Amino acid sequence: MTAYIIRRLLATIPVLVVVAVVVFSILYLAPGDPAAIIAGDQATIEQVEQIRQTLGLDRPFLEQFATWLGDIVRGDFGDSIFSNRPVIDLFMQRIEPTIALTVSTTIVTILLAVPLGVLAAWKAGSWIDRAVMSFAVVGFSFPVFVIGYILIYIFAITFKILPVQGYRSIEDGLWPFIIHLILPSLALAMSFMALVARITRASVLEVLSQDHIRTARSKGLTTNKLLFRHALPNAAVPIVTIIGVGIAILLGGVVVTESVFAIPGVGRLVVDAILARDYPIIQGVLLIFSAVYVALNLILDILYTFLDPRIRY
């Protein structure tokens, strides 16, 4: 196991290097002269040249990349072009709402989607199964921002039981923190729940048709023991896979959700940076998110070996 984990850790290094090359190249892939675009139409040649020197665009590509990568390794993601503040400081200021939204969405999804998927598999062909699958289709059919505005209209504007927008830190109290996360978490979780429920249903349904489940059923095991002690653990690998992939997708959906619900998280930071063409922030956040994706994949690969000891690489 230790050797496998070390091999997987070493395998992430070339992946991260490729990601770093792609992220760094964004500055060059953008159309036009980045320095002139950032400076604006009214800028003088001297101002454009000053920005070019600040970004290091007057040096060879490989030299710029080596310098940038060396700074990244030391934890220096550069400074924002417009605020002159370190990118890592801006990121750390915004990360709490994003983590809170991602974690709450994942918890809501697992608590609702997995039991619904198991129930649909157990009641396959019944109205319960059709209702769960209909919910899955609806969850996939609507974009996050549409679901968000619908939830705002129903629960915030019509019934006035939840806040319309905004975010409260957990330091302001547990209840304000929770009620400000309910609507964005539900909006973001809808498509995620649909995906997890469908995969859970398919995986559990396949396991329920196997011989050892029929044997356990013939011995008179209760439904709960049959489903949650025998069927669900044997169907766990694809379910854990889709949850891990879903968390990575959630980080992309967070950008839209934070904009709809006016949450001052990393998503809003990225949107503002893109609109202002603040390349150091865009590069820094993309690189951190990519590293998170790679880390999630590594954790999933390690989890597989615990969930199914037959899996070896």
Side-chain angles (χ1 to χ4, degrees), residues 74-95:
R74 291 192 297 272
D76 181 6
F77 288 79
D79 297 333
S80 166
I81 294 173
F82 297 100
S83 67
N84 289 322
R85 297 184 59 191
V87 171
I88 192 64
D89 289 352
L90 295 171
F91 180 83
M92 295 306 294
Q93 284 181 350
R94 302 291 192 96
I95 191 61

Side-chain angles (χ1 to χ4, degrees), residues 106 109-110 113-118 121 192-193 195-205 207 227-228 231-247 300 303-304 307:
T106 304
T109 299
I110 293 175
V114 173
L116 282 176
V118 173
F192 192 17
M193 283 195 295
L195 182 64
V196 174
R198 288 181 70 92
I199 297 297
T200 302
R201 177 189 180 277
S203 302
V204 173
L205 200 57
V207 172
L227 289 176
F228 294 101
L232 191 56
N234 285 287
V237 171
I239 297 172
V240 169
T241 300
I242 201 63
I243 290 175
V245 173
I247 292 174
L300 283 178
L303 273 179
Y304 291 158
L307 293 172

Side-chain angles (χ1 to χ4, degrees), residues 121 200-213 235 238:
T200 302
R201 177 189 180 277
S203 302
V204 173
L205 200 57
E206 181 181 352
V207 172
L208 288 176
S209 64
Q210 294 178 358
D211 292 339
H212 71 281
I213 295 295

Side-chain angles (χ1 to χ4, degrees), residues 3-13 294 297-298 301-302:
Y4 166 68
I5 294 174
I6 291 174
R7 285 200 304 272
R8 289 293 295 114
L9 283 171
L10 292 176
T12 61
I13 294 176
V294 173
N297 278 314
L298 175 63
D301 284 345
I302 295 173

Side-chain angles (χ1 to χ4, degrees), residues 26-38:
I26 288 176
L27 195 62
Y28 294 88
L29 295 175
D33 182 357
I37 294 172
I38 293 169

Side-chain angles (χ1 to χ4, degrees), residues 1-59:
M1 176 63 74
T2 303
Y4 166 68
I5 294 174
I6 291 174
R7 285 200 304 272
R8 289 293 295 114
L9 283 171
L10 292 176
T12 61
I13 294 176
V15 175
L16 288 174
V17 171
V18 172
V19 169
V21 171
V22 173
V23 170
F24 181 75
S25 301
I26 288 176
L27 195 62
Y28 294 88
L29 295 175
D33 182 357
I37 294 172
I38 293 169
D41 297 334
Q42 306 300 324
T44 63
I45 296 177
E46 289 75 16
Q47 289 172 325
V48 173
E49 187 60 30
Q50 178 63 37
I51 292 175
R52 185 173 288 111
Q53 292 177 3
T54 302
L55 293 174
L57 297 175
D58 55 339
R59 290 177 288 168

Side-chain angles (χ1 to χ4, degrees), residues 53-261:
Q53 292 177 3
T54 302
L55 293 174
L57 297 175
D58 55 339
R59 290 177 288 168
F61 177 85
L62 290 178
E63 181 184 342
Q64 293 178 47
F65 178 71
T67 303
W68 178 76
L69 192 60
D71 292 339
I72 294 295
V73 171
R74 291 192 297 272
D76 181 6
F77 288 79
D79 297 333
S80 166
I81 294 173
F82 297 100
S83 67
N84 289 322
R85 297 184 59 191
V87 171
I88 192 64
D89 289 352
L90 295 171
F91 180 83
M92 295 306 294
Q93 284 181 350
R94 302 291 192 96
I95 191 61
E96 182 197 322
T98 301
I99 290 178
L101 181 57
T102 304
V103 171
S104 61
T105 302
T106 304
I107 291 174
V108 168
T109 299
I110 293 175
L111 292 180
L112 294 179
V114 173
L116 282 176
V118 173
L119 182 63
W122 180 247
K123 299 291 184 182
S126 69
W127 69 268
I128 296 176
D129 181 25
R130 288 191 287 273
V132 173
M133 290 303 99
S134 298
F135 163 76
V137 172
V138 172
F140 274 127
S141 303
F142 288 91
V144 172
F145 69 91
V146 173
I147 297 174
Y149 286 125
I150 291 174
L151 292 175
I152 288 174
Y153 179 77
I154 295 174
F155 295 101
I157 297 176
T158 303
F159 294 106
K160 302 182 186 303
I161 55 178
L162 291 171
V164 177
Q165 291 178 322
Y167 173 78
R168 293 290 183 275
S169 171
I170 194 168
E171 295 176 352
D172 299 330
L174 184 59
W175 182 240
F177 171 74
I178 291 175
I179 62 172
H180 280 84
L181 283 176
I182 291 176
L183 289 186
S185 297
L186 287 176
L188 189 56
M190 196 64 75
S191 59
F192 192 17
M193 283 195 295
L195 182 64
V196 174
R198 288 181 70 92
I199 297 297
T200 302
R201 177 189 180 277
S203 302
V204 173
L205 200 57
E206 181 181 352
V207 172
L208 288 176
S209 64
Q210 294 178 358
D211 292 339
H212 71 281
I213 295 295
R214 283 195 290 269
T215 302
R217 187 179 297 172
S218 66
K219 289 182 177 179
L221 260 66
T222 63
T223 301
N224 286 339
K225 285 185 178 179
L226 189 68
L227 289 176
F228 294 101
R229 186 174 295 180
H230 294 274
L232 191 56
N234 285 287
V237 171
I239 297 172
V240 169
T241 300
I242 201 63
I243 290 175
V245 173
I247 292 174
I249 297 173
L250 277 183
L251 292 176
V254 160
V255 175
V256 177
T257 308
E258 287 181 354
S259 299
V260 171
F261 290 93

